[in-house]
Amino acid sequence: DNELSLSEREMEILRFIDNKNSFYQIVTFGMISSRLNMSRNTTKIILESIQNKGLIRINKKGRINW
């Protein structure tokens, strides 16, 4: 059984990313944090969890200030 377990927050982020990607928009940590009312640190932790599950790829561009 290869069922993937996702939290509600992970699903919420994936839906947000999918929506933006359907319009060919690049999604940033800041966009997710702001839209979903989460701290940048929480956003980073959840995104890394999603990436570790193989569902997204994070490309860091430029300088990131935390």
Side-chain angles (χ1 to χ4, degrees), residues 10-52:
E10 288 172 325
M11 287 297 298
E12 192 174 18
I13 287 175
L14 284 172
R15 282 190 293 268
F16 179 76
I17 292 171
D18 184 56
N19 179 266
K20 292 297 181 187
N21 282 339
S22 68
F23 294 102
Y24 304 101
Q25 294 179 340
I26 294 173
V27 181
T28 66
F29 279 48
M31 287 170 68
I32 295 168
S33 296
S34 175
R35 178 73 169 105
L36 302 179
N37 198 27
M38 291 188 283
S39 73
R40 287 181 181 260
N41 192 51
T42 299
T43 302
K44 179 179 181 275
I45 290 167
I46 295 172
L47 284 172
E48 286 174 349
S49 172
I50 296 169
Q51 179 175 248
N52 289 338

